[in-house]
Short mmCIF file of all heavy atoms in Angstrom, two decimals:
data_model
loop_
_atom_site.label_atom_id
_atom_site.label_comp_id
_atom_site.label_asym_id
_atom_site.label_seq_id
_atom_site.Cartn_x
_atom_site.Cartn_y
_atom_site.Cartn_z
N MET U 1 0.84 -1.17 0.00
CA MET U 1 0.00 0.00 0.00
C MET U 1 0.89 1.24 0.00
O MET U 1 1.77 1.39 0.83
CB MET U 1 -0.89 0.00 1.25
CG MET U 1 -1.68 1.27 1.34
SD MET U 1 -2.49 1.60 2.93
CE MET U 1 -3.13 0.05 3.42
N ALA U 2 0.67 2.12 -0.95
CA ALA U 2 1.44 3.34 -1.04
C ALA U 2 0.87 4.39 -0.10
O ALA U 2 -0.29 4.36 0.26
CB ALA U 2 1.40 3.86 -2.47
N TYR U 3 1.71 5.29 0.28
CA TYR U 3 1.25 6.40 1.10
C TYR U 3 2.08 7.63 0.78
O TYR U 3 3.17 7.54 0.24
CB TYR U 3 1.32 6.07 2.59
CG TYR U 3 2.72 5.82 3.10
CD1 TYR U 3 3.45 6.84 3.68
CD2 TYR U 3 3.31 4.56 2.99
CE1 TYR U 3 4.74 6.62 4.14
CE2 TYR U 3 4.59 4.34 3.45
CZ TYR U 3 5.30 5.37 4.03
OH TYR U 3 6.57 5.15 4.48
N ARG U 4 1.53 8.77 1.10
CA ARG U 4 2.25 10.03 0.88
C ARG U 4 3.07 10.37 2.11
O ARG U 4 2.66 10.10 3.23
CB ARG U 4 1.25 11.16 0.62
CG ARG U 4 0.60 11.06 -0.71
CD ARG U 4 -0.27 12.28 -0.94
NE ARG U 4 -0.83 12.17 -2.27
CZ ARG U 4 -1.98 12.69 -2.62
NH1 ARG U 4 -2.70 13.36 -1.75
NH2 ARG U 4 -2.42 12.54 -3.84
N TRP U 5 4.19 11.00 1.83
CA TRP U 5 5.01 11.52 2.91
C TRP U 5 4.60 12.97 3.14
O TRP U 5 4.69 13.80 2.24
CB TRP U 5 6.48 11.46 2.55
CG TRP U 5 7.01 10.08 2.31
CD1 TRP U 5 6.70 8.96 3.02
CD2 TRP U 5 7.93 9.66 1.32
NE1 TRP U 5 7.39 7.87 2.53
CE2 TRP U 5 8.15 8.28 1.49
CE3 TRP U 5 8.61 10.32 0.30
CZ2 TRP U 5 9.02 7.55 0.67
CZ3 TRP U 5 9.47 9.60 -0.50
CH2 TRP U 5 9.67 8.23 -0.31
N PHE U 6 4.12 13.26 4.33
CA PHE U 6 3.72 14.63 4.67
C PHE U 6 4.75 15.32 5.56
O PHE U 6 4.85 16.54 5.55
CB PHE U 6 2.36 14.63 5.38
CG PHE U 6 1.23 14.19 4.48
CD1 PHE U 6 0.72 12.91 4.57
CD2 PHE U 6 0.71 15.05 3.54
CE1 PHE U 6 -0.31 12.51 3.75
CE2 PHE U 6 -0.32 14.67 2.71
CZ PHE U 6 -0.84 13.38 2.81
N LYS U 7 5.48 14.53 6.32
CA LYS U 7 6.47 15.06 7.26
C LYS U 7 7.77 14.28 7.11
O LYS U 7 7.77 13.15 6.62
CB LYS U 7 5.97 14.92 8.70
CG LYS U 7 4.67 15.64 8.98
CD LYS U 7 4.19 15.37 10.38
CE LYS U 7 3.68 13.95 10.45
NZ LYS U 7 3.06 13.56 11.68
N LYS U 8 8.84 14.89 7.60
CA LYS U 8 10.13 14.21 7.51
C LYS U 8 10.13 12.89 8.26
O LYS U 8 10.79 11.94 7.84
CB LYS U 8 11.24 15.12 8.03
CG LYS U 8 11.55 16.25 7.07
CD LYS U 8 12.72 17.09 7.55
CE LYS U 8 13.08 18.13 6.51
NZ LYS U 8 14.24 18.93 6.93
N VAL U 9 9.36 12.80 9.33
CA VAL U 9 9.32 11.54 10.09
C VAL U 9 8.74 10.41 9.22
O VAL U 9 9.14 9.25 9.36
CB VAL U 9 8.55 11.70 11.42
CG1 VAL U 9 7.06 11.89 11.20
CG2 VAL U 9 8.82 10.53 12.35
N ASP U 10 7.85 10.74 8.30
CA ASP U 10 7.31 9.72 7.38
C ASP U 10 8.44 9.16 6.51
O ASP U 10 8.54 7.95 6.30
CB ASP U 10 6.22 10.31 6.48
CG ASP U 10 5.03 10.84 7.25
OD1 ASP U 10 4.74 10.34 8.35
OD2 ASP U 10 4.37 11.77 6.74
N VAL U 11 9.27 10.06 6.02
CA VAL U 11 10.42 9.65 5.20
C VAL U 11 11.40 8.86 6.06
O VAL U 11 11.91 7.82 5.62
CB VAL U 11 11.10 10.87 4.56
CG1 VAL U 11 12.38 10.47 3.84
CG2 VAL U 11 10.15 11.58 3.61
N ASP U 12 11.66 9.35 7.26
CA ASP U 12 12.60 8.67 8.15
C ASP U 12 12.18 7.22 8.39
O ASP U 12 13.03 6.32 8.40
CB ASP U 12 12.71 9.41 9.48
CG ASP U 12 13.34 10.79 9.36
OD1 ASP U 12 14.01 11.06 8.33
OD2 ASP U 12 13.14 11.60 10.28
N GLU U 13 10.89 7.01 8.57
CA GLU U 13 10.39 5.63 8.79
C GLU U 13 10.65 4.77 7.56
O GLU U 13 11.03 3.59 7.68
CB GLU U 13 8.92 5.67 9.14
CG GLU U 13 8.65 6.26 10.51
CD GLU U 13 7.19 6.51 10.79
OE1 GLU U 13 6.34 6.37 9.88
OE2 GLU U 13 6.88 6.86 11.95
N ALA U 14 10.46 5.33 6.38
CA ALA U 14 10.72 4.57 5.15
C ALA U 14 12.21 4.22 5.04
O ALA U 14 12.56 3.10 4.65
CB ALA U 14 10.27 5.37 3.93
N ILE U 15 13.07 5.15 5.42
CA ILE U 15 14.51 4.90 5.37
C ILE U 15 14.89 3.77 6.33
O ILE U 15 15.68 2.89 5.98
CB ILE U 15 15.30 6.19 5.70
CG1 ILE U 15 15.05 7.28 4.65
CG2 ILE U 15 16.80 5.88 5.84
CD1 ILE U 15 15.54 6.97 3.26
N VAL U 16 14.30 3.76 7.51
CA VAL U 16 14.59 2.70 8.48
C VAL U 16 14.15 1.34 7.92
O VAL U 16 14.88 0.34 8.05
CB VAL U 16 13.92 2.98 9.84
CG1 VAL U 16 13.99 1.78 10.75
CG2 VAL U 16 14.57 4.18 10.50
N VAL U 17 13.00 1.28 7.29
CA VAL U 17 12.54 0.02 6.69
C VAL U 17 13.51 -0.43 5.60
O VAL U 17 13.86 -1.61 5.52
CB VAL U 17 11.10 0.17 6.14
CG1 VAL U 17 10.69 -1.06 5.34
CG2 VAL U 17 10.12 0.41 7.27
N ILE U 18 13.96 0.50 4.79
CA ILE U 18 14.93 0.17 3.74
C ILE U 18 16.23 -0.36 4.37
O ILE U 18 16.77 -1.39 3.94
CB ILE U 18 15.20 1.39 2.85
CG1 ILE U 18 13.96 1.69 1.99
CG2 ILE U 18 16.44 1.18 1.98
CD1 ILE U 18 14.02 3.02 1.27
N MET U 19 16.73 0.33 5.38
CA MET U 19 17.97 -0.10 6.04
C MET U 19 17.81 -1.49 6.64
O MET U 19 18.70 -2.35 6.48
CB MET U 19 18.35 0.90 7.12
CG MET U 19 18.81 2.24 6.58
SD MET U 19 18.97 3.55 7.84
CE MET U 19 19.92 2.76 9.10
N ASN U 20 16.70 -1.74 7.31
CA ASN U 20 16.48 -3.05 7.91
C ASN U 20 16.37 -4.14 6.85
O ASN U 20 16.88 -5.25 7.04
CB ASN U 20 15.22 -3.03 8.78
CG ASN U 20 15.41 -2.25 10.06
OD1 ASN U 20 16.53 -2.03 10.50
ND2 ASN U 20 14.31 -1.81 10.65
N SER U 21 15.71 -3.84 5.75
CA SER U 21 15.60 -4.82 4.67
C SER U 21 16.96 -5.17 4.10
O SER U 21 17.24 -6.34 3.82
CB SER U 21 14.68 -4.28 3.56
OG SER U 21 13.36 -4.18 4.03
N LEU U 22 17.80 -4.16 3.92
CA LEU U 22 19.15 -4.43 3.40
C LEU U 22 19.98 -5.23 4.38
O LEU U 22 20.79 -6.08 3.97
CB LEU U 22 19.85 -3.11 3.05
CG LEU U 22 19.32 -2.38 1.82
CD1 LEU U 22 20.00 -1.02 1.69
CD2 LEU U 22 19.50 -3.21 0.57
N ASP U 23 19.79 -4.98 5.67
CA ASP U 23 20.52 -5.74 6.68
C ASP U 23 20.12 -7.22 6.65
O ASP U 23 20.95 -8.10 6.84
CB ASP U 23 20.26 -5.19 8.08
CG ASP U 23 21.01 -3.90 8.34
OD1 ASP U 23 21.93 -3.56 7.56
OD2 ASP U 23 20.66 -3.21 9.32
N GLU U 24 18.85 -7.48 6.40
CA GLU U 24 18.35 -8.85 6.42
C GLU U 24 18.61 -9.61 5.13
O GLU U 24 18.90 -10.79 5.15
CB GLU U 24 16.84 -8.85 6.68
CG GLU U 24 16.47 -8.47 8.09
CD GLU U 24 14.96 -8.45 8.31
OE1 GLU U 24 14.21 -8.94 7.43
OE2 GLU U 24 14.54 -7.93 9.35
N GLN U 25 18.44 -8.94 3.98
CA GLN U 25 18.45 -9.66 2.71
C GLN U 25 19.52 -9.21 1.73
O GLN U 25 19.67 -9.80 0.68
CB GLN U 25 17.09 -9.50 2.02
CG GLN U 25 15.94 -10.01 2.84
CD GLN U 25 14.61 -9.75 2.16
OE1 GLN U 25 14.52 -9.64 0.94
NE2 GLN U 25 13.57 -9.65 2.95
N ASP U 26 20.21 -8.12 2.01
CA ASP U 26 21.22 -7.57 1.12
C ASP U 26 20.64 -7.05 -0.19
O ASP U 26 21.36 -6.71 -1.11
CB ASP U 26 22.34 -8.58 0.86
CG ASP U 26 23.63 -7.90 0.42
OD1 ASP U 26 23.95 -6.83 0.97
OD2 ASP U 26 24.29 -8.42 -0.49
N GLU U 27 19.31 -7.03 -0.29
CA GLU U 27 18.62 -6.42 -1.42
C GLU U 27 17.20 -6.08 -0.98
O GLU U 27 16.71 -6.62 0.02
CB GLU U 27 18.61 -7.32 -2.64
CG GLU U 27 17.80 -8.58 -2.48
CD GLU U 27 17.85 -9.47 -3.70
OE1 GLU U 27 18.59 -9.16 -4.66
OE2 GLU U 27 17.15 -10.47 -3.71
N LEU U 28 16.56 -5.21 -1.73
CA LEU U 28 15.21 -4.80 -1.34
C LEU U 28 14.17 -5.69 -2.00
O LEU U 28 14.26 -5.99 -3.19
CB LEU U 28 14.96 -3.35 -1.77
CG LEU U 28 15.86 -2.31 -1.12
CD1 LEU U 28 15.55 -0.92 -1.68
CD2 LEU U 28 15.72 -2.33 0.38
N PRO U 29 13.17 -6.11 -1.23
CA PRO U 29 12.08 -6.88 -1.83
C PRO U 29 11.28 -6.00 -2.80
O PRO U 29 11.15 -4.78 -2.59
CB PRO U 29 11.24 -7.31 -0.63
CG PRO U 29 11.64 -6.45 0.50
CD PRO U 29 13.00 -5.90 0.20
N GLN U 30 10.76 -6.61 -3.83
CA GLN U 30 10.05 -5.85 -4.86
C GLN U 30 8.82 -5.13 -4.30
O GLN U 30 8.49 -4.03 -4.75
CB GLN U 30 9.68 -6.74 -6.04
CG GLN U 30 10.86 -7.08 -6.91
CD GLN U 30 11.56 -5.83 -7.42
OE1 GLN U 30 10.95 -4.97 -8.06
NE2 GLN U 30 12.85 -5.71 -7.12
N TRP U 31 8.13 -5.72 -3.33
CA TRP U 31 6.94 -5.04 -2.78
C TRP U 31 7.35 -3.72 -2.14
O TRP U 31 6.63 -2.72 -2.23
CB TRP U 31 6.20 -5.92 -1.76
CG TRP U 31 6.97 -6.16 -0.47
CD1 TRP U 31 7.77 -7.23 -0.18
CD2 TRP U 31 7.04 -5.28 0.66
NE1 TRP U 31 8.33 -7.07 1.08
CE2 TRP U 31 7.90 -5.88 1.61
CE3 TRP U 31 6.47 -4.05 0.97
CZ2 TRP U 31 8.19 -5.30 2.84
CZ3 TRP U 31 6.77 -3.47 2.21
CH2 TRP U 31 7.61 -4.10 3.12
N LEU U 32 8.53 -3.68 -1.51
CA LEU U 32 9.00 -2.47 -0.86
C LEU U 32 9.40 -1.43 -1.90
O LEU U 32 9.07 -0.25 -1.78
CB LEU U 32 10.17 -2.78 0.08
CG LEU U 32 10.77 -1.58 0.82
CD1 LEU U 32 9.71 -0.85 1.64
CD2 LEU U 32 11.91 -2.04 1.71
N VAL U 33 10.09 -1.85 -2.93
CA VAL U 33 10.48 -0.93 -4.01
C VAL U 33 9.24 -0.31 -4.63
O VAL U 33 9.17 0.91 -4.83
CB VAL U 33 11.34 -1.65 -5.07
CG1 VAL U 33 11.60 -0.75 -6.27
CG2 VAL U 33 12.67 -2.12 -4.46
N ARG U 34 8.24 -1.12 -4.92
CA ARG U 34 6.99 -0.59 -5.51
C ARG U 34 6.29 0.39 -4.57
O ARG U 34 5.78 1.42 -5.01
CB ARG U 34 6.04 -1.73 -5.88
CG ARG U 34 6.47 -2.53 -7.09
CD ARG U 34 5.39 -3.48 -7.58
NE ARG U 34 4.94 -4.40 -6.54
CZ ARG U 34 5.49 -5.58 -6.28
NH1 ARG U 34 6.51 -6.00 -7.01
NH2 ARG U 34 5.01 -6.36 -5.33
N THR U 35 6.27 0.08 -3.29
CA THR U 35 5.64 0.96 -2.31
C THR U 35 6.36 2.30 -2.22
O THR U 35 5.72 3.36 -2.24
CB THR U 35 5.60 0.29 -0.92
OG1 THR U 35 4.87 -0.92 -1.02
CG2 THR U 35 4.96 1.18 0.11
N ILE U 36 7.68 2.25 -2.16
CA ILE U 36 8.46 3.49 -2.08
C ILE U 36 8.33 4.28 -3.37
O ILE U 36 8.19 5.51 -3.35
CB ILE U 36 9.95 3.19 -1.76
CG1 ILE U 36 10.09 2.49 -0.40
CG2 ILE U 36 10.79 4.46 -1.84
CD1 ILE U 36 9.73 3.33 0.80
N GLN U 37 8.33 3.61 -4.51
CA GLN U 37 8.16 4.30 -5.79
C GLN U 37 6.83 5.04 -5.84
O GLN U 37 6.76 6.18 -6.31
CB GLN U 37 8.26 3.31 -6.95
CG GLN U 37 9.67 2.82 -7.18
CD GLN U 37 9.75 1.69 -8.19
OE1 GLN U 37 8.76 1.07 -8.54
NE2 GLN U 37 10.95 1.43 -8.65
N ALA U 38 5.78 4.41 -5.35
CA ALA U 38 4.47 5.06 -5.32
C ALA U 38 4.50 6.27 -4.39
O ALA U 38 3.90 7.31 -4.69
CB ALA U 38 3.40 4.07 -4.89
N SER U 39 5.19 6.15 -3.27
CA SER U 39 5.31 7.28 -2.35
C SER U 39 6.07 8.43 -3.00
O SER U 39 5.71 9.59 -2.84
CB SER U 39 6.02 6.84 -1.07
OG SER U 39 5.25 5.89 -0.38
N ILE U 40 7.10 8.11 -3.73
CA ILE U 40 7.88 9.12 -4.45
C ILE U 40 6.97 9.86 -5.44
O ILE U 40 6.99 11.09 -5.52
CB ILE U 40 9.09 8.48 -5.17
CG1 ILE U 40 10.12 8.04 -4.15
CG2 ILE U 40 9.70 9.43 -6.20
CD1 ILE U 40 11.22 7.14 -4.70
N GLU U 41 6.16 9.12 -6.16
CA GLU U 41 5.28 9.72 -7.16
C GLU U 41 4.17 10.56 -6.54
O GLU U 41 3.75 11.56 -7.13
CB GLU U 41 4.67 8.62 -8.03
CG GLU U 41 5.69 7.92 -8.89
CD GLU U 41 5.16 6.66 -9.55
OE1 GLU U 41 3.94 6.39 -9.46
OE2 GLU U 41 5.98 5.94 -10.14
N ASP U 42 3.70 10.19 -5.35
CA ASP U 42 2.54 10.84 -4.73
C ASP U 42 2.88 11.95 -3.74
O ASP U 42 2.00 12.69 -3.33
CB ASP U 42 1.68 9.80 -4.01
CG ASP U 42 0.99 8.85 -4.97
OD1 ASP U 42 0.93 9.16 -6.18
OD2 ASP U 42 0.52 7.79 -4.51
N SER U 43 4.14 12.06 -3.35
CA SER U 43 4.50 12.98 -2.27
C SER U 43 4.99 14.32 -2.80
O SER U 43 5.39 14.45 -3.96
CB SER U 43 5.58 12.35 -1.38
OG SER U 43 5.07 11.21 -0.75
N ASP U 44 4.97 15.30 -1.92
CA ASP U 44 5.47 16.63 -2.22
C ASP U 44 6.94 16.55 -2.63
O ASP U 44 7.71 15.79 -2.03
CB ASP U 44 5.31 17.49 -0.96
CG ASP U 44 5.77 18.91 -1.18
OD1 ASP U 44 6.98 19.17 -0.98
OD2 ASP U 44 4.93 19.74 -1.55
N PRO U 45 7.34 17.32 -3.64
CA PRO U 45 8.74 17.29 -4.08
C PRO U 45 9.76 17.55 -2.98
O PRO U 45 10.86 16.99 -3.01
CB PRO U 45 8.80 18.37 -5.16
CG PRO U 45 7.41 18.45 -5.69
CD PRO U 45 6.52 18.19 -4.50
N ALA U 46 9.41 18.36 -1.99
CA ALA U 46 10.34 18.62 -0.89
C ALA U 46 10.58 17.35 -0.07
O ALA U 46 11.71 17.10 0.37
CB ALA U 46 9.81 19.73 0.01
N MET U 47 9.55 16.55 0.11
CA MET U 47 9.71 15.29 0.84
C MET U 47 10.49 14.28 0.01
O MET U 47 11.29 13.52 0.55
CB MET U 47 8.35 14.70 1.24
CG MET U 47 7.61 15.50 2.29
SD MET U 47 8.45 15.53 3.88
CE MET U 47 9.22 17.13 3.84
N VAL U 48 10.31 14.30 -1.29
CA VAL U 48 11.06 13.40 -2.18
C VAL U 48 12.54 13.78 -2.15
O VAL U 48 13.40 12.90 -2.06
CB VAL U 48 10.49 13.44 -3.61
CG1 VAL U 48 11.35 12.63 -4.56
CG2 VAL U 48 9.04 12.95 -3.62
N LYS U 49 12.82 15.07 -2.18
CA LYS U 49 14.21 15.52 -2.11
C LYS U 49 14.84 15.07 -0.79
O LYS U 49 15.97 14.56 -0.77
CB LYS U 49 14.26 17.04 -2.23
CG LYS U 49 15.65 17.62 -2.21
CD LYS U 49 15.61 19.13 -2.43
CE LYS U 49 16.99 19.72 -2.56
NZ LYS U 49 17.63 20.01 -1.32
N TYR U 50 14.11 15.24 0.29
CA TYR U 50 14.60 14.80 1.60
C TYR U 50 14.83 13.29 1.60
O TYR U 50 15.84 12.82 2.14
CB TYR U 50 13.60 15.21 2.68
CG TYR U 50 14.00 14.77 4.07
CD1 TYR U 50 15.08 15.35 4.73
CD2 TYR U 50 13.30 13.76 4.73
CE1 TYR U 50 15.45 14.94 6.00
CE2 TYR U 50 13.66 13.35 6.00
CZ TYR U 50 14.74 13.93 6.63
OH TYR U 50 15.11 13.52 7.88
N PHE U 51 13.93 12.52 0.99
CA PHE U 51 14.10 11.07 0.90
C PHE U 51 15.43 10.72 0.24
O PHE U 51 16.19 9.91 0.77
CB PHE U 51 12.94 10.45 0.11
CG PHE U 51 13.19 9.01 -0.26
CD1 PHE U 51 13.05 8.00 0.67
CD2 PHE U 51 13.57 8.67 -1.56
CE1 PHE U 51 13.29 6.67 0.33
CE2 PHE U 51 13.81 7.35 -1.90
CZ PHE U 51 13.66 6.35 -0.96
N TYR U 52 15.73 11.34 -0.90
CA TYR U 52 16.97 11.02 -1.60
C TYR U 52 18.20 11.45 -0.80
O TYR U 52 19.22 10.76 -0.81
CB TYR U 52 16.98 11.63 -3.00
CG TYR U 52 16.16 10.81 -3.96
CD1 TYR U 52 14.95 11.29 -4.46
CD2 TYR U 52 16.57 9.54 -4.36
CE1 TYR U 52 14.20 10.53 -5.34
CE2 TYR U 52 15.82 8.78 -5.23
CZ TYR U 52 14.64 9.28 -5.72
OH TYR U 52 13.89 8.52 -6.58
N GLU U 53 18.11 12.58 -0.11
CA GLU U 53 19.23 13.01 0.73
C GLU U 53 19.50 11.99 1.84
O GLU U 53 20.65 11.60 2.08
CB GLU U 53 18.92 14.37 1.35
CG GLU U 53 18.92 15.51 0.36
CD GLU U 53 18.36 16.80 0.93
OE1 GLU U 53 17.88 16.82 2.08
OE2 GLU U 53 18.41 17.82 0.20
N GLU U 54 18.44 11.56 2.51
CA GLU U 54 18.59 10.61 3.61
C GLU U 54 19.00 9.23 3.11
O GLU U 54 19.81 8.55 3.73
CB GLU U 54 17.30 10.53 4.43
CG GLU U 54 16.94 11.83 5.12
CD GLU U 54 18.01 12.27 6.10
OE1 GLU U 54 18.17 11.63 7.15
OE2 GLU U 54 18.71 13.28 5.80
N LEU U 55 18.44 8.82 1.99
CA LEU U 55 18.81 7.53 1.41
C LEU U 55 20.30 7.51 1.08
O LEU U 55 20.98 6.52 1.35
CB LEU U 55 17.97 7.26 0.16
CG LEU U 55 18.07 5.86 -0.43
CD1 LEU U 55 17.49 4.81 0.52
CD2 LEU U 55 17.36 5.81 -1.78
N GLY U 56 20.79 8.60 0.51
CA GLY U 56 22.21 8.69 0.19
C GLY U 56 23.11 8.61 1.42
O GLY U 56 24.20 8.06 1.35
N LYS U 57 22.63 9.13 2.53
CA LYS U 57 23.41 9.09 3.78
C LYS U 57 23.38 7.72 4.44
O LYS U 57 24.40 7.22 4.91
CB LYS U 57 22.85 10.09 4.79
CG LYS U 57 23.18 11.51 4.55
CD LYS U 57 22.68 12.33 5.74
CE LYS U 57 22.09 13.63 5.28
NZ LYS U 57 21.46 14.39 6.36
N TYR U 58 22.19 7.14 4.53
CA TYR U 58 22.00 5.97 5.38
C TYR U 58 21.86 4.64 4.64
O TYR U 58 22.06 3.59 5.25
CB TYR U 58 20.77 6.18 6.27
CG TYR U 58 20.95 7.33 7.20
CD1 TYR U 58 20.29 8.53 7.00
CD2 TYR U 58 21.83 7.25 8.28
CE1 TYR U 58 20.48 9.61 7.84
CE2 TYR U 58 22.04 8.33 9.13
CZ TYR U 58 21.35 9.50 8.90
OH TYR U 58 21.55 10.56 9.74
N ALA U 59 21.52 4.68 3.37
CA ALA U 59 21.38 3.43 2.61
C ALA U 59 21.76 3.66 1.15
O ALA U 59 20.96 3.42 0.24
CB ALA U 59 19.95 2.90 2.73
N PRO U 60 22.99 4.13 0.90
CA PRO U 60 23.36 4.45 -0.47
C PRO U 60 23.26 3.27 -1.43
O PRO U 60 23.03 3.46 -2.63
CB PRO U 60 24.80 4.96 -0.34
CG PRO U 60 25.28 4.47 0.98
CD PRO U 60 24.07 4.33 1.85
N LYS U 61 23.41 2.07 -0.90
CA LYS U 61 23.29 0.88 -1.74
C LYS U 61 21.91 0.78 -2.40
O LYS U 61 21.76 0.23 -3.48
CB LYS U 61 23.56 -0.37 -0.89
CG LYS U 61 23.51 -1.65 -1.65
CD LYS U 61 23.84 -2.81 -0.75
CE LYS U 61 23.77 -4.11 -1.53
NZ LYS U 61 24.10 -5.25 -0.71
N ALA U 62 20.91 1.35 -1.75
CA ALA U 62 19.53 1.29 -2.26
C ALA U 62 19.26 2.33 -3.34
O ALA U 62 18.22 2.26 -4.00
CB ALA U 62 18.54 1.45 -1.12
N MET U 63 20.16 3.28 -3.53
CA MET U 63 19.92 4.36 -4.51
C MET U 63 19.60 3.81 -5.88
O MET U 63 18.72 4.33 -6.56
CB MET U 63 21.13 5.28 -4.58
CG MET U 63 21.35 6.14 -3.35
SD MET U 63 20.10 7.38 -3.08
CE MET U 63 20.56 8.60 -4.30
N ILE U 64 20.26 2.77 -6.29
CA ILE U 64 20.05 2.22 -7.62
C ILE U 64 18.59 1.76 -7.83
O ILE U 64 18.07 1.82 -8.94
CB ILE U 64 21.04 1.09 -7.94
CG1 ILE U 64 21.01 0.79 -9.41
CG2 ILE U 64 20.76 -0.15 -7.11
CD1 ILE U 64 22.30 0.26 -9.96
N SER U 65 17.95 1.35 -6.78
CA SER U 65 16.56 0.90 -6.88
C SER U 65 15.60 2.03 -7.18
O SER U 65 14.49 1.79 -7.67
CB SER U 65 16.11 0.23 -5.58
OG SER U 65 16.88 -0.92 -5.32
N PHE U 66 16.04 3.28 -6.92
CA PHE U 66 15.14 4.43 -7.08
C PHE U 66 15.66 5.50 -8.01
O PHE U 66 15.08 6.56 -8.12
CB PHE U 66 14.85 5.03 -5.69
CG PHE U 66 14.31 4.01 -4.73
CD1 PHE U 66 15.11 3.52 -3.72
CD2 PHE U 66 13.01 3.54 -4.85
CE1 PHE U 66 14.62 2.56 -2.84
CE2 PHE U 66 12.53 2.58 -3.99
CZ PHE U 66 13.32 2.10 -2.97
N GLU U 67 16.75 5.24 -8.72
CA GLU U 67 17.28 6.21 -9.66
C GLU U 67 16.26 6.48 -10.76
O GLU U 67 15.58 5.57 -11.23
CB GLU U 67 18.58 5.71 -10.27
CG GLU U 67 19.74 5.79 -9.32
CD GLU U 67 21.03 5.29 -9.92
OE1 GLU U 67 21.01 4.63 -10.98
OE2 GLU U 67 22.07 5.54 -9.30
N GLY U 68 16.16 7.74 -11.14
CA GLY U 68 15.24 8.11 -12.19
C GLY U 68 13.79 8.09 -11.77
O GLY U 68 12.89 8.09 -12.59
N ARG U 69 13.53 8.09 -10.47
CA ARG U 69 12.17 7.96 -9.97
C ARG U 69 11.69 9.22 -9.27
O ARG U 69 10.90 9.14 -8.35
CB ARG U 69 12.09 6.79 -8.99
CG ARG U 69 12.63 5.53 -9.55
CD ARG U 69 11.52 4.61 -9.85
NE ARG U 69 12.05 3.35 -10.27
CZ ARG U 69 11.60 2.69 -11.30
NH1 ARG U 69 10.62 3.15 -12.00
NH2 ARG U 69 12.12 1.54 -11.62
N GLY U 70 12.18 10.37 -9.66
CA GLY U 70 11.62 11.57 -9.08
C GLY U 70 12.59 12.47 -8.34
O GLY U 70 12.16 13.33 -7.62
N GLY U 71 13.86 12.28 -8.52
CA GLY U 71 14.75 13.22 -7.84
C GLY U 71 16.19 12.78 -7.73
O GLY U 71 17.04 13.55 -7.35
N ALA U 72 16.49 11.56 -8.05
CA ALA U 72 17.87 11.08 -7.87
C ALA U 72 18.75 11.40 -9.06
O ALA U 72 19.94 11.33 -8.98
CB ALA U 72 17.89 9.57 -7.63
N ASP U 73 18.15 11.78 -10.19
CA ASP U 73 18.98 12.01 -11.36
C ASP U 73 19.31 13.45 -11.58
O ASP U 73 19.06 14.32 -10.86
CB ASP U 73 18.35 11.46 -12.64
CG ASP U 73 16.85 11.58 -12.72
OD1 ASP U 73 16.28 12.61 -12.34
OD2 ASP U 73 16.27 10.61 -13.17
#
């Protein structure tokens, strides 16, 4: 289920889920990638920018999963 990010804490929670998924599986499950992609498409550009900044800091390995999806390029 996709959701919009309205506050930075919403993005922070998504980053934690991504980090935990990478710790467990060394790759992101497709359901999570699809959910985050939908959030990227539906959220305010400022929240999307914040998402990419935080992703780059805390889970740079996941960047490839979201390149070209609203702010990473």
Side-chain angles (χ1 to χ4, degrees):
M1 175 193 318
Y3 63 94
R4 288 185 178 152
W5 298 320
F6 293 102
K7 301 176 287 186
K8 287 184 175 182
V9 70
D10 299 332
V11 174
D12 294 341
E13 290 171 353
I15 297 295
V16 169
V17 171
I18 289 169
M19 290 169 50
N20 288 340
S21 292
L22 289 174
D23 285 346
E24 288 179 12
Q25 302 176 26
D26 202 40
E27 66 182 5
L28 298 178
Q30 286 304 303
W31 68 265
L32 179 58
V33 173
R34 287 191 304 272
T35 300
I36 298 293
Q37 288 172 345
S39 296
I40 290 168
E41 293 168 8
D42 291 344
S43 296
D44 182 271
M47 291 295 101
V48 174
K49 182 176 186 276
Y50 179 70
F51 168 77
Y52 281 110
E53 290 169 355
E54 296 300 289
L55 190 66
K57 283 187 220 174
Y58 297 106
K61 182 178 179 179
M63 290 293 284
I64 193 151
S65 297
F66 305 106
E67 286 180 345
R69 307 253 186 225
D73 36 42

